[in-house]
Amino acid sequence: MNYDTALAFVDSMLVSQTGKHLSDLQSEILHGTWEGNTYEAIAQAAYCTEGHVKDVAADFWKQLSELLGERIGKKNCKSVLGRHLSLQSPPELSHTVTKPPEATAPHLDWGDAPDIHTLFGRTEELSALQQWILSDRCRAIALLGMGGIGKTSLASTLARTIQTEFDWIAWRSLRNSPTARDLLTDLLKSLPAPDAFQMPAKFDAQLRELLDRLRQARGLLVLDNLESILQGGDRLTPFRPGYEEYGELFRVIGETGHNSCLLVTSRELPQGWNWLASNTKAVRQFPVTGLSLESARELLQSKGEFAGSERDWQRSTEHYAGNPLALNIVASTILDFFDGSLTQFLDFTARESFVLDDIRELLDRHLDRLTPIARRIMHYLAIAQEPRSLQDLQADALEPISAGDILRSLAS
């Protein structure tokens, strides 16, 4: 008896009894157990935490034990499955009605979600987010980070990794700034609906309908580029005029009980999110930071041959803060003009203040959203290059800045 035979047997039995196939994680648990691996090794292979694997495994073994009519677990998996395979039929299988697999296949609407073939690093991030969504049952999560840091890539990889855990997945980009009403209309048309469904005319009714869909089936809704509907500068009025209804959308999803999850990516935190997060553990925010030295090196080497000392690799990663987009941009320059030499590139660019145009544009998009006071604070900290206290900031400013303005600007 080989593993493929055992896998097909277990999957067929689950479909016959429950109408659902093995999930990706259940398959990983079965395969890891078959190979004699520890739960820690299985967790690493599945990009999730050991605790989550153990929780899923406990439910999995319990389910199999009930279906097979005897206790099965990690230690006796091979022997039990081998014995039942020799009978060519799990207990009471002939008395069940087989459900078609397509009836339980998730409804997938990827919209314009990118198909990420390689995600460098992010193992810990994926593991933590899977824990939040699958085990902690978070209702809303905001992935936060500067442009180019990889929020969209992380969200896409995460959603595709855990897609079998949901009844439906919908991905929508807010780059073109749809209103909340337009978004709800689009979503309600796309998601599975009752036969007699009629589109509500009012926003409140559409919101209630979406909430019903979130309760009736477990869904994952991803909203990408949330900063497109936010107003820069003042954190007290973050939604652009005409987009305030998004605040009500987030409030309802975050506060109301349901079994689904909203995942948003944004450069800035939307209004009301901090309040929701402080009042329920089901709403959280996840900062996406730069790549580690090892992951940055792997990203650059995927573009071509690079040469440099260990210090050069470290300087290159630190200089661009591990930002994947910035590293991708600079990789072409190093290969085209410096023959892949990190040393020559770093020496050349160290002679003057030099920023590639594409990276300058990325930074300008952030700076343009700041208030004049916030820009002054950014310039002050950039020149200082070391931590400064609030008192230093207020005392060293070219023009007096009140304590209130400093705190408001830092908060935004």
PDB file of all heavy atoms in Angstrom, residues 354-380:
ATOM      1  N   PHE A 354      21.415  60.133  -4.414  1.00  0.00           N
ATOM      2  CA  PHE A 354      20.956  59.534  -5.674  1.00  0.00           C
ATOM      3  C   PHE A 354      19.776  58.625  -5.406  1.00  0.00           C
ATOM      4  O   PHE A 354      19.859  57.715  -4.591  1.00  0.00           O
ATOM      5  CB  PHE A 354      22.108  58.739  -6.302  1.00  0.00           C
ATOM      6  CG  PHE A 354      21.689  57.921  -7.495  1.00  0.00           C
ATOM      7  CD1 PHE A 354      21.495  58.514  -8.729  1.00  0.00           C
ATOM      8  CD2 PHE A 354      21.479  56.556  -7.372  1.00  0.00           C
ATOM      9  CE1 PHE A 354      21.114  57.759  -9.827  1.00  0.00           C
ATOM     10  CE2 PHE A 354      21.092  55.795  -8.465  1.00  0.00           C
ATOM     11  CZ  PHE A 354      20.917  56.401  -9.696  1.00  0.00           C
ATOM     12  N   VAL A 355      18.668  58.896  -6.081  1.00  0.00           N
ATOM     13  CA  VAL A 355      17.481  58.065  -5.959  1.00  0.00           C
ATOM     14  C   VAL A 355      16.956  57.777  -7.357  1.00  0.00           C
ATOM     15  O   VAL A 355      16.760  58.706  -8.148  1.00  0.00           O
ATOM     16  CB  VAL A 355      16.369  58.754  -5.129  1.00  0.00           C
ATOM     17  CG1 VAL A 355      15.157  57.835  -5.001  1.00  0.00           C
ATOM     18  CG2 VAL A 355      16.885  59.131  -3.756  1.00  0.00           C
ATOM     19  N   LEU A 356      16.746  56.516  -7.688  1.00  0.00           N
ATOM     20  CA  LEU A 356      16.189  56.155  -8.985  1.00  0.00           C
ATOM     21  C   LEU A 356      14.796  56.758  -9.134  1.00  0.00           C
ATOM     22  O   LEU A 356      14.035  56.841  -8.169  1.00  0.00           O
ATOM     23  CB  LEU A 356      16.116  54.640  -9.124  1.00  0.00           C
ATOM     24  CG  LEU A 356      17.471  53.921  -9.189  1.00  0.00           C
ATOM     25  CD1 LEU A 356      17.268  52.416  -9.090  1.00  0.00           C
ATOM     26  CD2 LEU A 356      18.207  54.266 -10.468  1.00  0.00           C
ATOM     27  N   ASP A 357      14.449  57.173 -10.353  1.00  0.00           N
ATOM     28  CA  ASP A 357      13.202  57.891 -10.585  1.00  0.00           C
ATOM     29  C   ASP A 357      11.978  57.114 -10.117  1.00  0.00           C
ATOM     30  O   ASP A 357      11.053  57.678  -9.522  1.00  0.00           O
ATOM     31  CB  ASP A 357      13.061  58.240 -12.072  1.00  0.00           C
ATOM     32  CG  ASP A 357      14.036  59.327 -12.501  1.00  0.00           C
ATOM     33  OD1 ASP A 357      14.552  60.027 -11.607  1.00  0.00           O
ATOM     34  OD2 ASP A 357      14.289  59.472 -13.711  1.00  0.00           O
ATOM     35  N   ASP A 358      11.945  55.807 -10.387  1.00  0.00           N
ATOM     36  CA  ASP A 358      10.778  55.014  -9.996  1.00  0.00           C
ATOM     37  C   ASP A 358      10.629  54.958  -8.476  1.00  0.00           C
ATOM     38  O   ASP A 358       9.509  54.952  -7.950  1.00  0.00           O
ATOM     39  CB  ASP A 358      10.884  53.596 -10.560  1.00  0.00           C
ATOM     40  CG  ASP A 358      10.668  53.565 -12.065  1.00  0.00           C
ATOM     41  OD1 ASP A 358      10.085  54.523 -12.588  1.00  0.00           O
ATOM     42  OD2 ASP A 358      11.091  52.588 -12.710  1.00  0.00           O
ATOM     43  N   ILE A 359      11.755  54.893  -7.774  1.00  0.00           N
ATOM     44  CA  ILE A 359      11.702  54.875  -6.311  1.00  0.00           C
ATOM     45  C   ILE A 359      11.326  56.254  -5.785  1.00  0.00           C
ATOM     46  O   ILE A 359      10.568  56.382  -4.817  1.00  0.00           O
ATOM     47  CB  ILE A 359      13.052  54.415  -5.730  1.00  0.00           C
ATOM     48  CG1 ILE A 359      13.338  52.970  -6.169  1.00  0.00           C
ATOM     49  CG2 ILE A 359      13.056  54.522  -4.210  1.00  0.00           C
ATOM     50  CD1 ILE A 359      14.667  52.429  -5.696  1.00  0.00           C
ATOM     51  N   ARG A 360      11.826  57.315  -6.430  1.00  0.00           N
ATOM     52  CA  ARG A 360      11.450  58.671  -6.029  1.00  0.00           C
ATOM     53  C   ARG A 360       9.942  58.873  -6.173  1.00  0.00           C
ATOM     54  O   ARG A 360       9.291  59.472  -5.323  1.00  0.00           O
ATOM     55  CB  ARG A 360      12.204  59.698  -6.872  1.00  0.00           C
ATOM     56  CG  ARG A 360      11.945  61.140  -6.459  1.00  0.00           C
ATOM     57  CD  ARG A 360      12.667  62.111  -7.369  1.00  0.00           C
ATOM     58  NE  ARG A 360      14.117  61.929  -7.290  1.00  0.00           N
ATOM     59  CZ  ARG A 360      14.869  62.446  -6.329  1.00  0.00           C
ATOM     60  NH1 ARG A 360      14.307  63.152  -5.361  1.00  0.00           N
ATOM     61  NH2 ARG A 360      16.173  62.258  -6.328  1.00  0.00           N
ATOM     62  N   GLU A 361       9.387  58.348  -7.268  1.00  0.00           N
ATOM     63  CA  GLU A 361       7.945  58.464  -7.480  1.00  0.00           C
ATOM     64  C   GLU A 361       7.176  57.736  -6.377  1.00  0.00           C
ATOM     65  O   GLU A 361       6.143  58.224  -5.887  1.00  0.00           O
ATOM     66  CB  GLU A 361       7.573  57.887  -8.849  1.00  0.00           C
ATOM     67  CG  GLU A 361       6.085  57.971  -9.167  1.00  0.00           C
ATOM     68  CD  GLU A 361       5.746  57.331 -10.503  1.00  0.00           C
ATOM     69  OE1 GLU A 361       6.681  56.943 -11.235  1.00  0.00           O
ATOM     70  OE2 GLU A 361       4.551  57.212 -10.800  1.00  0.00           O
ATOM     71  N   LEU A 362       7.675  56.569  -5.981  1.00  0.00           N
ATOM     72  CA  LEU A 362       7.039  55.807  -4.901  1.00  0.00           C
ATOM     73  C   LEU A 362       7.029  56.612  -3.612  1.00  0.00           C
ATOM     74  O   LEU A 362       6.002  56.703  -2.920  1.00  0.00           O
ATOM     75  CB  LEU A 362       7.785  54.484  -4.703  1.00  0.00           C
ATOM     76  CG  LEU A 362       7.390  53.636  -3.485  1.00  0.00           C
ATOM     77  CD1 LEU A 362       5.964  53.130  -3.627  1.00  0.00           C
ATOM     78  CD2 LEU A 362       8.357  52.468  -3.319  1.00  0.00           C
ATOM     79  N   LEU A 363       8.168  57.237  -3.270  1.00  0.00           N
ATOM     80  CA  LEU A 363       8.260  58.023  -2.041  1.00  0.00           C
ATOM     81  C   LEU A 363       7.406  59.285  -2.129  1.00  0.00           C
ATOM     82  O   LEU A 363       6.775  59.691  -1.147  1.00  0.00           O
ATOM     83  CB  LEU A 363       9.719  58.390  -1.769  1.00  0.00           C
ATOM     84  CG  LEU A 363      10.663  57.215  -1.507  1.00  0.00           C
ATOM     85  CD1 LEU A 363      12.100  57.708  -1.373  1.00  0.00           C
ATOM     86  CD2 LEU A 363      10.250  56.468  -0.249  1.00  0.00           C
ATOM     87  N   ASP A 364       7.397  59.926  -3.316  1.00  0.00           N
ATOM     88  CA  ASP A 364       6.611  61.150  -3.481  1.00  0.00           C
ATOM     89  C   ASP A 364       5.131  60.904  -3.242  1.00  0.00           C
ATOM     90  O   ASP A 364       4.421  61.769  -2.708  1.00  0.00           O
ATOM     91  CB  ASP A 364       6.822  61.738  -4.877  1.00  0.00           C
ATOM     92  CG  ASP A 364       8.175  62.427  -5.018  1.00  0.00           C
ATOM     93  OD1 ASP A 364       8.799  62.697  -3.967  1.00  0.00           O
ATOM     94  OD2 ASP A 364       8.604  62.692  -6.155  1.00  0.00           O
ATOM     95  N   ARG A 365       4.629  59.735  -3.665  1.00  0.00           N
ATOM     96  CA  ARG A 365       3.209  59.434  -3.473  1.00  0.00           C
ATOM     97  C   ARG A 365       2.851  59.401  -1.991  1.00  0.00           C
ATOM     98  O   ARG A 365       1.746  59.771  -1.596  1.00  0.00           O
ATOM     99  CB  ARG A 365       2.846  58.106  -4.138  1.00  0.00           C
ATOM    100  CG  ARG A 365       2.781  58.174  -5.648  1.00  0.00           C
ATOM    101  CD  ARG A 365       1.934  57.027  -6.213  1.00  0.00           C
ATOM    102  NE  ARG A 365       2.525  55.729  -5.964  1.00  0.00           N
ATOM    103  CZ  ARG A 365       3.349  55.100  -6.808  1.00  0.00           C
ATOM    104  NH1 ARG A 365       3.671  55.689  -7.946  1.00  0.00           N
ATOM    105  NH2 ARG A 365       3.827  53.914  -6.522  1.00  0.00           N
ATOM    106  N   HIS A 366       3.802  58.961  -1.172  1.00  0.00           N
ATOM    107  CA  HIS A 366       3.575  58.972   0.278  1.00  0.00           C
ATOM    108  C   HIS A 366       3.667  60.391   0.824  1.00  0.00           C
ATOM    109  O   HIS A 366       2.811  60.844   1.592  1.00  0.00           O
ATOM    110  CB  HIS A 366       4.598  58.083   0.983  1.00  0.00           C
ATOM    111  CG  HIS A 366       4.299  56.615   0.865  1.00  0.00           C
ATOM    112  ND1 HIS A 366       3.411  55.973   1.682  1.00  0.00           N
ATOM    113  CD2 HIS A 366       4.779  55.669   0.030  1.00  0.00           C
ATOM    114  CE1 HIS A 366       3.349  54.697   1.362  1.00  0.00           C
ATOM    115  NE2 HIS A 366       4.173  54.489   0.356  1.00  0.00           N
ATOM    116  N   LEU A 367       4.718  61.095   0.456  1.00  0.00           N
ATOM    117  CA  LEU A 367       4.951  62.431   1.013  1.00  0.00           C
ATOM    118  C   LEU A 367       3.860  63.407   0.608  1.00  0.00           C
ATOM    119  O   LEU A 367       3.519  64.322   1.371  1.00  0.00           O
ATOM    120  CB  LEU A 367       6.318  62.951   0.563  1.00  0.00           C
ATOM    121  CG  LEU A 367       7.524  62.195   1.135  1.00  0.00           C
ATOM    122  CD1 LEU A 367       8.810  62.655   0.476  1.00  0.00           C
ATOM    123  CD2 LEU A 367       7.607  62.383   2.648  1.00  0.00           C
ATOM    124  N   ASP A 368       3.313  63.241  -0.583  1.00  0.00           N
ATOM    125  CA  ASP A 368       2.276  64.158  -1.057  1.00  0.00           C
ATOM    126  C   ASP A 368       1.011  64.089  -0.216  1.00  0.00           C
ATOM    127  O   ASP A 368       0.188  65.016  -0.258  1.00  0.00           O
ATOM    128  CB  ASP A 368       1.930  63.863  -2.527  1.00  0.00           C
ATOM    129  CG  ASP A 368       3.030  64.304  -3.476  1.00  0.00           C
ATOM    130  OD1 ASP A 368       3.915  65.072  -3.038  1.00  0.00           O
ATOM    131  OD2 ASP A 368       3.025  63.864  -4.642  1.00  0.00           O
ATOM    132  N   ARG A 369       0.819  63.017   0.521  1.00  0.00           N
ATOM    133  CA  ARG A 369      -0.390  62.862   1.329  1.00  0.00           C
ATOM    134  C   ARG A 369      -0.230  63.451   2.731  1.00  0.00           C
ATOM    135  O   ARG A 369      -1.179  63.449   3.518  1.00  0.00           O
ATOM    136  CB  ARG A 369      -0.763  61.380   1.431  1.00  0.00           C
ATOM    137  CG  ARG A 369      -1.157  60.751   0.098  1.00  0.00           C
ATOM    138  CD  ARG A 369      -1.428  59.264   0.228  1.00  0.00           C
ATOM    139  NE  ARG A 369      -2.592  58.974   1.044  1.00  0.00           N
ATOM    140  CZ  ARG A 369      -3.843  58.972   0.591  1.00  0.00           C
ATOM    141  NH1 ARG A 369      -4.076  59.250  -0.673  1.00  0.00           N
ATOM    142  NH2 ARG A 369      -4.854  58.690   1.388  1.00  0.00           N
ATOM    143  N   LEU A 370       0.963  63.973   3.036  1.00  0.00           N
ATOM    144  CA  LEU A 370       1.210  64.505   4.371  1.00  0.00           C
ATOM    145  C   LEU A 370       0.829  65.981   4.461  1.00  0.00           C
ATOM    146  O   LEU A 370       0.911  66.722   3.483  1.00  0.00           O
ATOM    147  CB  LEU A 370       2.680  64.356   4.736  1.00  0.00           C
ATOM    148  CG  LEU A 370       3.254  62.936   4.794  1.00  0.00           C
ATOM    149  CD1 LEU A 370       4.728  62.981   5.161  1.00  0.00           C
ATOM    150  CD2 LEU A 370       2.482  62.086   5.795  1.00  0.00           C
ATOM    151  N   THR A 371       0.442  66.397   5.665  1.00  0.00           N
ATOM    152  CA  THR A 371       0.216  67.816   5.919  1.00  0.00           C
ATOM    153  C   THR A 371       1.563  68.528   5.960  1.00  0.00           C
ATOM    154  O   THR A 371       2.617  67.890   6.135  1.00  0.00           O
ATOM    155  CB  THR A 371      -0.498  68.019   7.264  1.00  0.00           C
ATOM    156  OG1 THR A 371       0.358  67.540   8.311  1.00  0.00           O
ATOM    157  CG2 THR A 371      -1.827  67.274   7.300  1.00  0.00           C
ATOM    158  N   PRO A 372       1.577  69.867   5.815  1.00  0.00           N
ATOM    159  CA  PRO A 372       2.850  70.608   5.901  1.00  0.00           C
ATOM    160  C   PRO A 372       3.625  70.321   7.187  1.00  0.00           C
ATOM    161  O   PRO A 372       4.851  70.179   7.165  1.00  0.00           O
ATOM    162  CB  PRO A 372       2.407  72.071   5.812  1.00  0.00           C
ATOM    163  CG  PRO A 372       1.146  72.026   5.002  1.00  0.00           C
ATOM    164  CD  PRO A 372       0.464  70.747   5.423  1.00  0.00           C
ATOM    165  N   ILE A 373       2.924  70.226   8.314  1.00  0.00           N
ATOM    166  CA  ILE A 373       3.606  69.954   9.580  1.00  0.00           C
ATOM    167  C   ILE A 373       4.194  68.547   9.581  1.00  0.00           C
ATOM    168  O   ILE A 373       5.331  68.333  10.022  1.00  0.00           O
ATOM    169  CB  ILE A 373       2.636  70.141  10.765  1.00  0.00           C
ATOM    170  CG1 ILE A 373       2.275  71.621  10.920  1.00  0.00           C
ATOM    171  CG2 ILE A 373       3.257  69.615  12.060  1.00  0.00           C
ATOM    172  CD1 ILE A 373       1.290  71.886  12.041  1.00  0.00           C
ATOM    173  N   ALA A 374       3.441  67.594   9.067  1.00  0.00           N
ATOM    174  CA  ALA A 374       3.945  66.221   9.015  1.00  0.00           C
ATOM    175  C   ALA A 374       5.182  66.132   8.111  1.00  0.00           C
ATOM    176  O   ALA A 374       6.129  65.399   8.408  1.00  0.00           O
ATOM    177  CB  ALA A 374       2.853  65.283   8.513  1.00  0.00           C
ATOM    178  N   ARG A 375       5.202  66.869   7.009  1.00  0.00           N
ATOM    179  CA  ARG A 375       6.373  66.877   6.123  1.00  0.00           C
ATOM    180  C   ARG A 375       7.584  67.460   6.837  1.00  0.00           C
ATOM    181  O   ARG A 375       8.709  66.955   6.693  1.00  0.00           O
ATOM    182  CB  ARG A 375       6.071  67.669   4.852  1.00  0.00           C
ATOM    183  CG  ARG A 375       5.108  66.993   3.903  1.00  0.00           C
ATOM    184  CD  ARG A 375       4.807  67.858   2.695  1.00  0.00           C
ATOM    185  NE  ARG A 375       5.976  68.025   1.864  1.00  0.00           N
ATOM    186  CZ  ARG A 375       6.258  67.283   0.797  1.00  0.00           C
ATOM    187  NH1 ARG A 375       5.430  66.311   0.440  1.00  0.00           N
ATOM    188  NH2 ARG A 375       7.332  67.506   0.084  1.00  0.00           N
ATOM    189  N   ARG A 376       7.356  68.513   7.609  1.00  0.00           N
ATOM    190  CA  ARG A 376       8.469  69.112   8.359  1.00  0.00           C
ATOM    191  C   ARG A 376       9.045  68.115   9.367  1.00  0.00           C
ATOM    192  O   ARG A 376      10.268  68.025   9.539  1.00  0.00           O
ATOM    193  CB  ARG A 376       7.983  70.371   9.076  1.00  0.00           C
ATOM    194  CG  ARG A 376       7.786  71.574   8.147  1.00  0.00           C
ATOM    195  CD  ARG A 376       7.094  72.702   8.867  1.00  0.00           C
ATOM    196  NE  ARG A 376       7.819  73.097  10.083  1.00  0.00           N
ATOM    197  CZ  ARG A 376       7.298  73.865  11.028  1.00  0.00           C
ATOM    198  NH1 ARG A 376       6.047  74.290  10.918  1.00  0.00           N
ATOM    199  NH2 ARG A 376       8.015  74.206  12.082  1.00  0.00           N
ATOM    200  N   ILE A 377       8.156  67.350  10.012  1.00  0.00           N
ATOM    201  CA  ILE A 377       8.619  66.345  10.971  1.00  0.00           C
ATOM    202  C   ILE A 377       9.424  65.259  10.257  1.00  0.00           C
ATOM    203  O   ILE A 377      10.475  64.821  10.744  1.00  0.00           O
ATOM    204  CB  ILE A 377       7.421  65.741  11.733  1.00  0.00           C
ATOM    205  CG1 ILE A 377       6.773  66.803  12.621  1.00  0.00           C
ATOM    206  CG2 ILE A 377       7.860  64.540  12.565  1.00  0.00           C
ATOM    207  CD1 ILE A 377       5.503  66.343  13.313  1.00  0.00           C
ATOM    208  N   MET A 378       8.943  64.821   9.090  1.00  0.00           N
ATOM    209  CA  MET A 378       9.667  63.806   8.314  1.00  0.00           C
ATOM    210  C   MET A 378      11.058  64.303   7.928  1.00  0.00           C
ATOM    211  O   MET A 378      12.044  63.572   8.046  1.00  0.00           O
ATOM    212  CB  MET A 378       8.869  63.439   7.056  1.00  0.00           C
ATOM    213  CG  MET A 378       7.639  62.600   7.305  1.00  0.00           C
ATOM    214  SD  MET A 378       8.035  60.925   7.869  1.00  0.00           S
ATOM    215  CE  MET A 378       8.841  60.267   6.410  1.00  0.00           C
ATOM    216  N   HIS A 379      11.136  65.537   7.459  1.00  0.00           N
ATOM    217  CA  HIS A 379      12.438  66.102   7.071  1.00  0.00           C
ATOM    218  C   HIS A 379      13.373  66.189   8.274  1.00  0.00           C
ATOM    219  O   HIS A 379      14.569  65.885   8.183  1.00  0.00           O
ATOM    220  CB  HIS A 379      12.239  67.483   6.458  1.00  0.00           C
ATOM    221  CG  HIS A 379      11.605  67.447   5.102  1.00  0.00           C
ATOM    222  ND1 HIS A 379      10.843  68.479   4.597  1.00  0.00           N
ATOM    223  CD2 HIS A 379      11.593  66.486   4.150  1.00  0.00           C
ATOM    224  CE1 HIS A 379      10.414  68.159   3.384  1.00  0.00           C
ATOM    225  NE2 HIS A 379      10.858  66.945   3.103  1.00  0.00           N
ATOM    226  N   TYR A 380      12.817  66.595   9.415  1.00  0.00           N
ATOM    227  CA  TYR A 380      13.632  66.711  10.626  1.00  0.00           C
ATOM    228  C   TYR A 380      14.212  65.353  11.026  1.00  0.00           C
ATOM    229  O   TYR A 380      15.412  65.230  11.322  1.00  0.00           O
ATOM    230  CB  TYR A 380      12.770  67.284  11.750  1.00  0.00           C
ATOM    231  CG  TYR A 380      13.445  67.257  13.104  1.00  0.00           C
ATOM    232  CD1 TYR A 380      14.374  68.228  13.469  1.00  0.00           C
ATOM    233  CD2 TYR A 380      13.156  66.246  14.027  1.00  0.00           C
ATOM    234  CE1 TYR A 380      14.990  68.192  14.714  1.00  0.00           C
ATOM    235  CE2 TYR A 380      13.761  66.199  15.267  1.00  0.00           C
ATOM    236  CZ  TYR A 380      14.676  67.179  15.600  1.00  0.00           C
ATOM    237  OH  TYR A 380      15.303  67.143  16.815  1.00  0.00           O
TER     238      TYR A 380
END
